Amino acid sequence: MDFADFAARAAAIEGESADLETIGLVADLFGDAGEDLGAVARFVQGRIVPAHDDTKLDVGPTLCYEALARAAGRNVSAADVEAELAAVGEIGAVAESLDLGGQRGLEAFGDGTPDPLTVAEVQRTLRSIATASGGGSTDTKRNTLFGLFNRAEPLEARYLARLVLGEMRIGVGEGTVRDAVAEAFEASTEAVERALQVSNDCGVVARTAREDGEAGLSAIRLRVGRPVKAMLAQTGTAIEAIESWGDAAVETKFDGVRVQIHYDGETPRLFSRNLEDVTDSLPEVVDAVERSIDVPAILDGEVVAVDPDGTPLPFQEVLRRFRRKHDVAAAREDVAVELHAFDCLHVDGEDLLDTPLERRHERLRERLPDAAVDLTVSDDPDAIADLESEALSKGHEGIMLKNPESTYTPGKRGQNWLKRKPDVETLDLVVTGAEWGEGRRANLFGTFVVSVRTDDGYEPVGKVATGITDGELETLHERLEPHVRSETGTEVDIEPAVVFEVGYEEIQRSPTYGSGYALRFPRFVGIREDKSPADADSLERLRRLYS
Ligand code: AMP
């Protein structure tokens, strides 16, 4: 498929606001994508690799502006691109407005007209940018990007720039892709959804649906080494759990970071909740798995930092492990970590997603007796309250209540896992802006604009300026500065990258913020390094909490 065709379809999809029509347009696009179906299914969501693959393009805004400016000719600088972005607010519109290809002569052959860009070529080229590393790779990336922009027509440039910066924003999320695959290739939504959960790869699912129909979709299996999304929890009470399920399976809720363990029988690989490979940061977990398991397996659990007596340390401590990537040995001496495994998705060739929780837990215990969490099944609220007090007194975060009969549903925040924490008045929000501080904090950001996730972007719910120590302000500044998109006066526009946990007293309706809500007394609790903007709390959740 020509990239121009893809761009024209993307523009039509972006211009359509009705959900059903959007699904129809995406389904038509999938139907016409031919060999490029996999790439197209990813591109509409702004992805260049499957969701299970943590390869990053690693092109910051500045590099993209530089490549655009170069393709726009001698009279345009990266600063001009940035200024235009501040004025129009969106990189696609900026790229579309530039007169690109001023230096086409440098790239072109024959009659001076370059071949049209194709989807396959854009995909190949962006992947080559993603894998470029080592000395000189920044120049290579800039040159390669320039080569693409230099050949792009205005509409192509619009979607290319957005793809490069991971901001496709044509209103197509995973739900739309699921429905469009179902419509285009006449499969049931359930079958497509399940295949997406199991493979975490919309390209594979779209191709399978087209070529092998529902039978093919249901034959898709978990694969060791290909992480799936983590099953998620809602908040709830013991009474709710018992009323819904009769019995509740109770486990300690550990305050650490989620890991998914993939063991192929020889080497374990560990993935974070964002599906990044974190194997090298957690050697003791690797050792523990190698010591205990002798068959291929996929396990789910939490890694917690502990002091020398084994007492759990706050969540922030375990994060030090991930920050000190290059000095894991020193970090290991600094903070010890422990694995608490709570689920088992696959053992020795057998997928267990559809096996009830209690049975999965038995399989886990057989394979990893030392690290498997205790699970108590109870229908007595008092007994559950005792388990909660015990967990809290040992320094843990609280308890999890799980439906003993439930299957494992990757990526779902369903009703089958409930978290009971004493303090639930916090939200995980994305930082999308900041304001410079005043007085002795004048060279640091002092106030942070925090946003909830919406279907196609982020909308602010408040500004956070309290609860932050001077030391933390410096850390936050360093963390956010690389993500600055533009500045106007004292206000700074920041690309969504960092998630804050924000405490608050109340949610109010508000015309001031784009979300329509405002948090009363928002205060900074911490950075959620384990979450990406896609995991932040949604506008829908905010609405529910409000009502
Ligand atoms: P939250 O991050 O507040 O949404 O709480 C859900 C998280 O608690 C999960 O994603 C896990 O990282 C963590 N967790 C700790 N202990 C457990 C457990 N026993 N079962 C499931 N999740 C747990």
PDB file of all heavy atoms in Angstrom, residues 43 49 61 73 87 98 116 122 152 169 347 354 365 378 393 399 405 412 415 450 488:
ATOM      1  N   PHE A  43       0.077   0.922  12.684  1.00  0.00           N
ATOM      2  CA  PHE A  43       0.201   2.363  12.412  1.00  0.00           C
ATOM      3  C   PHE A  43      -1.043   3.142  12.848  1.00  0.00           C
ATOM      4  O   PHE A  43      -0.928   4.250  13.349  1.00  0.00           O
ATOM      5  CB  PHE A  43       0.422   2.606  10.908  1.00  0.00           C
ATOM      6  CG  PHE A  43       1.841   2.370  10.437  1.00  0.00           C
ATOM      7  CD1 PHE A  43       2.801   1.834  11.280  1.00  0.00           C
ATOM      8  CD2 PHE A  43       2.211   2.702   9.135  1.00  0.00           C
ATOM      9  CE1 PHE A  43       4.102   1.609  10.839  1.00  0.00           C
ATOM     10  CE2 PHE A  43       3.502   2.493   8.687  1.00  0.00           C
ATOM     11  CZ  PHE A  43       4.452   1.951   9.532  1.00  0.00           C
ATOM     12  N   VAL A  49       5.941  -1.232  16.309  1.00  0.00           N
ATOM     13  CA  VAL A  49       6.218  -2.652  16.601  1.00  0.00           C
ATOM     14  C   VAL A  49       5.030  -3.198  17.387  1.00  0.00           C
ATOM     15  O   VAL A  49       4.253  -2.421  17.934  1.00  0.00           O
ATOM     16  CB  VAL A  49       7.523  -2.837  17.419  1.00  0.00           C
ATOM     17  CG1 VAL A  49       8.744  -2.455  16.618  1.00  0.00           C
ATOM     18  CG2 VAL A  49       7.473  -2.051  18.729  1.00  0.00           C
ATOM     19  N   PRO A  61      11.647  14.668  20.568  1.00  0.00           N
ATOM     20  CA  PRO A  61      11.058  15.734  19.772  1.00  0.00           C
ATOM     21  C   PRO A  61      12.108  16.549  19.008  1.00  0.00           C
ATOM     22  O   PRO A  61      11.944  16.828  17.820  1.00  0.00           O
ATOM     23  CB  PRO A  61      10.342  16.602  20.804  1.00  0.00           C
ATOM     24  CG  PRO A  61      10.112  15.713  21.980  1.00  0.00           C
ATOM     25  CD  PRO A  61      11.179  14.680  21.956  1.00  0.00           C
ATOM     26  N   GLY A  73      14.213  22.802   4.062  1.00  0.00           N
ATOM     27  CA  GLY A  73      15.111  23.696   3.323  1.00  0.00           C
ATOM     28  C   GLY A  73      15.869  24.650   4.221  1.00  0.00           C
ATOM     29  O   GLY A  73      15.669  24.690   5.430  1.00  0.00           O
ATOM     30  N   ALA A  87       2.614  27.427  18.322  1.00  0.00           N
ATOM     31  CA  ALA A  87       1.476  28.196  17.804  1.00  0.00           C
ATOM     32  C   ALA A  87       0.306  27.287  17.421  1.00  0.00           C
ATOM     33  O   ALA A  87      -0.843  27.589  17.738  1.00  0.00           O
ATOM     34  CB  ALA A  87       1.916  29.031  16.602  1.00  0.00           C
ATOM     35  N   LEU A  98       4.694  22.540   6.304  1.00  0.00           N
ATOM     36  CA  LEU A  98       6.030  22.876   5.794  1.00  0.00           C
ATOM     37  C   LEU A  98       6.152  22.471   4.336  1.00  0.00           C
ATOM     38  O   LEU A  98       5.545  21.502   3.900  1.00  0.00           O
ATOM     39  CB  LEU A  98       7.092  22.124   6.611  1.00  0.00           C
ATOM     40  CG  LEU A  98       7.234  22.549   8.072  1.00  0.00           C
ATOM     41  CD1 LEU A  98       8.094  21.538   8.816  1.00  0.00           C
ATOM     42  CD2 LEU A  98       7.845  23.938   8.165  1.00  0.00           C
ATOM     43  N   PRO A 116       7.284   6.961  -4.801  1.00  0.00           N
ATOM     44  CA  PRO A 116       6.395   7.261  -3.684  1.00  0.00           C
ATOM     45  C   PRO A 116       6.731   6.376  -2.475  1.00  0.00           C
ATOM     46  O   PRO A 116       7.191   5.240  -2.646  1.00  0.00           O
ATOM     47  CB  PRO A 116       4.993   6.936  -4.224  1.00  0.00           C
ATOM     48  CG  PRO A 116       5.201   6.163  -5.468  1.00  0.00           C
ATOM     49  CD  PRO A 116       6.587   6.415  -5.970  1.00  0.00           C
ATOM     50  N   VAL A 122       8.096   2.615   4.975  1.00  0.00           N
ATOM     51  CA  VAL A 122       8.070   3.439   6.193  1.00  0.00           C
ATOM     52  C   VAL A 122       8.296   2.538   7.401  1.00  0.00           C
ATOM     53  O   VAL A 122       9.092   2.834   8.296  1.00  0.00           O
ATOM     54  CB  VAL A 122       6.732   4.208   6.321  1.00  0.00           C
ATOM     55  CG1 VAL A 122       6.596   4.838   7.696  1.00  0.00           C
ATOM     56  CG2 VAL A 122       6.629   5.271   5.227  1.00  0.00           C
ATOM     57  N   ALA A 152       8.186  13.136   1.570  1.00  0.00           N
ATOM     58  CA  ALA A 152       6.771  13.084   1.953  1.00  0.00           C
ATOM     59  C   ALA A 152       5.974  14.241   1.370  1.00  0.00           C
ATOM     60  O   ALA A 152       6.418  15.385   1.389  1.00  0.00           O
ATOM     61  CB  ALA A 152       6.665  13.101   3.474  1.00  0.00           C
ATOM     62  N   ARG A 169      -3.104   9.854  17.272  1.00  0.00           N
ATOM     63  CA  ARG A 169      -4.319  10.634  17.579  1.00  0.00           C
ATOM     64  C   ARG A 169      -5.333  10.740  16.453  1.00  0.00           C
ATOM     65  O   ARG A 169      -5.769  11.827  16.095  1.00  0.00           O
ATOM     66  CB  ARG A 169      -3.937  12.066  17.981  1.00  0.00           C
ATOM     67  CG  ARG A 169      -3.093  12.086  19.217  1.00  0.00           C
ATOM     68  CD  ARG A 169      -3.248  13.380  19.942  1.00  0.00           C
ATOM     69  NE  ARG A 169      -2.240  13.515  20.963  1.00  0.00           N
ATOM     70  CZ  ARG A 169      -1.666  14.656  21.303  1.00  0.00           C
ATOM     71  NH1 ARG A 169      -2.007  15.764  20.699  1.00  0.00           N
ATOM     72  NH2 ARG A 169      -0.783  14.680  22.259  1.00  0.00           N
ATOM     73  N   VAL A 347       2.423 -23.551  31.856  1.00  0.00           N
ATOM     74  CA  VAL A 347       3.452 -24.475  32.347  1.00  0.00           C
ATOM     75  C   VAL A 347       3.660 -25.570  31.325  1.00  0.00           C
ATOM     76  O   VAL A 347       2.701 -26.219  30.905  1.00  0.00           O
ATOM     77  CB  VAL A 347       3.048 -25.185  33.662  1.00  0.00           C
ATOM     78  CG1 VAL A 347       4.169 -26.111  34.117  1.00  0.00           C
ATOM     79  CG2 VAL A 347       2.742 -24.226  34.757  1.00  0.00           C
ATOM     80  N   ASP A 354      -7.411 -20.032  30.895  1.00  0.00           N
ATOM     81  CA  ASP A 354      -8.815 -20.369  31.125  1.00  0.00           C
ATOM     82  C   ASP A 354      -9.025 -21.297  32.313  1.00  0.00           C
ATOM     83  O   ASP A 354     -10.142 -21.720  32.585  1.00  0.00           O
ATOM     84  CB  ASP A 354      -9.408 -21.000  29.857  1.00  0.00           C
ATOM     85  CG  ASP A 354      -9.454 -19.985  28.734  1.00  0.00           C
ATOM     86  OD1 ASP A 354      -9.657 -18.784  29.052  1.00  0.00           O
ATOM     87  OD2 ASP A 354      -9.260 -20.352  27.570  1.00  0.00           O
ATOM     88  N   ARG A 365       2.271 -23.188  42.943  1.00  0.00           N
ATOM     89  CA  ARG A 365       2.872 -23.691  44.184  1.00  0.00           C
ATOM     90  C   ARG A 365       3.729 -24.944  43.926  1.00  0.00           C
ATOM     91  O   ARG A 365       4.799 -25.093  44.506  1.00  0.00           O
ATOM     92  CB  ARG A 365       1.737 -24.006  45.163  1.00  0.00           C
ATOM     93  CG  ARG A 365       2.121 -24.192  46.568  1.00  0.00           C
ATOM     94  CD  ARG A 365       0.924 -24.029  47.480  1.00  0.00           C
ATOM     95  NE  ARG A 365       0.751 -22.637  47.822  1.00  0.00           N
ATOM     96  CZ  ARG A 365       1.563 -21.957  48.618  1.00  0.00           C
ATOM     97  NH1 ARG A 365       2.620 -22.534  49.156  1.00  0.00           N
ATOM     98  NH2 ARG A 365       1.343 -20.694  48.895  1.00  0.00           N
ATOM     99  N   SER A 378     -11.949 -17.736  51.764  1.00  0.00           N
ATOM    100  CA  SER A 378     -12.813 -17.514  52.926  1.00  0.00           C
ATOM    101  C   SER A 378     -14.116 -16.845  52.521  1.00  0.00           C
ATOM    102  O   SER A 378     -14.160 -16.099  51.540  1.00  0.00           O
ATOM    103  CB  SER A 378     -12.065 -16.616  53.923  1.00  0.00           C
ATOM    104  OG  SER A 378     -12.941 -16.198  54.945  1.00  0.00           O
ATOM    105  N   SER A 393       0.239  -5.196  59.329  1.00  0.00           N
ATOM    106  CA  SER A 393       1.197  -5.152  60.432  1.00  0.00           C
ATOM    107  C   SER A 393       2.565  -5.667  59.987  1.00  0.00           C
ATOM    108  O   SER A 393       3.581  -5.318  60.568  1.00  0.00           O
ATOM    109  CB  SER A 393       0.679  -5.932  61.638  1.00  0.00           C
ATOM    110  OG  SER A 393       0.723  -7.312  61.333  1.00  0.00           O
ATOM    111  N   ILE A 399      -4.597  -6.071  51.169  1.00  0.00           N
ATOM    112  CA  ILE A 399      -4.900  -7.393  50.610  1.00  0.00           C
ATOM    113  C   ILE A 399      -5.533  -7.268  49.232  1.00  0.00           C
ATOM    114  O   ILE A 399      -6.065  -6.213  48.868  1.00  0.00           O
ATOM    115  CB  ILE A 399      -5.857  -8.211  51.518  1.00  0.00           C
ATOM    116  CG1 ILE A 399      -7.112  -7.403  51.862  1.00  0.00           C
ATOM    117  CG2 ILE A 399      -5.148  -8.714  52.746  1.00  0.00           C
ATOM    118  CD1 ILE A 399      -8.206  -8.215  52.531  1.00  0.00           C
ATOM    119  N   GLU A 405     -12.847 -18.672  41.144  1.00  0.00           N
ATOM    120  CA  GLU A 405     -13.212 -19.376  39.907  1.00  0.00           C
ATOM    121  C   GLU A 405     -12.733 -18.641  38.647  1.00  0.00           C
ATOM    122  O   GLU A 405     -12.935 -19.111  37.540  1.00  0.00           O
ATOM    123  CB  GLU A 405     -14.743 -19.460  39.801  1.00  0.00           C
ATOM    124  CG  GLU A 405     -15.394 -20.311  40.882  1.00  0.00           C
ATOM    125  CD  GLU A 405     -14.935 -21.742  40.758  1.00  0.00           C
ATOM    126  OE1 GLU A 405     -14.886 -22.241  39.622  1.00  0.00           O
ATOM    127  OE2 GLU A 405     -14.576 -22.330  41.791  1.00  0.00           O
ATOM    128  N   LYS A 412      -7.225  -6.701  31.350  1.00  0.00           N
ATOM    129  CA  LYS A 412      -8.577  -6.306  31.780  1.00  0.00           C
ATOM    130  C   LYS A 412      -8.556  -5.821  33.222  1.00  0.00           C
ATOM    131  O   LYS A 412      -7.969  -6.463  34.098  1.00  0.00           O
ATOM    132  CB  LYS A 412      -9.532  -7.505  31.715  1.00  0.00           C
ATOM    133  CG  LYS A 412      -9.914  -7.883  30.324  1.00  0.00           C
ATOM    134  CD  LYS A 412     -11.123  -7.092  29.877  1.00  0.00           C
ATOM    135  CE  LYS A 412     -10.998  -6.819  28.411  1.00  0.00           C
ATOM    136  NZ  LYS A 412     -11.643  -5.781  27.799  1.00  0.00           N
ATOM    137  N   GLN A 415     -13.939  -7.286  37.263  1.00  0.00           N
ATOM    138  CA  GLN A 415     -14.500  -7.387  38.616  1.00  0.00           C
ATOM    139  C   GLN A 415     -13.929  -8.580  39.374  1.00  0.00           C
ATOM    140  O   GLN A 415     -14.364  -8.850  40.488  1.00  0.00           O
ATOM    141  CB  GLN A 415     -16.026  -7.569  38.519  1.00  0.00           C
ATOM    142  CG  GLN A 415     -16.774  -6.377  37.999  1.00  0.00           C
ATOM    143  CD  GLN A 415     -16.802  -5.241  39.028  1.00  0.00           C
ATOM    144  OE1 GLN A 415     -16.454  -5.454  40.186  1.00  0.00           O
ATOM    145  NE2 GLN A 415     -17.197  -4.063  38.598  1.00  0.00           N
ATOM    146  N   VAL A 450      -1.484  18.057  35.720  1.00  0.00           N
ATOM    147  CA  VAL A 450      -1.685  16.603  35.645  1.00  0.00           C
ATOM    148  C   VAL A 450      -2.999  16.294  34.935  1.00  0.00           C
ATOM    149  O   VAL A 450      -3.980  17.018  35.085  1.00  0.00           O
ATOM    150  CB  VAL A 450      -1.647  15.960  37.047  1.00  0.00           C
ATOM    151  CG1 VAL A 450      -0.232  15.971  37.590  1.00  0.00           C
ATOM    152  CG2 VAL A 450      -2.595  16.645  38.010  1.00  0.00           C
ATOM    153  N   THR A 488       5.646  28.841  26.643  1.00  0.00           N
ATOM    154  CA  THR A 488       5.095  30.168  26.384  1.00  0.00           C
ATOM    155  C   THR A 488       5.063  30.886  27.716  1.00  0.00           C
ATOM    156  O   THR A 488       4.360  30.448  28.626  1.00  0.00           O
ATOM    157  CB  THR A 488       3.627  30.088  25.871  1.00  0.00           C
ATOM    158  OG1 THR A 488       3.325  28.734  25.520  1.00  0.00           O
ATOM    159  CG2 THR A 488       3.362  31.014  24.726  1.00  0.00           C
TER     160      THR A 488
END
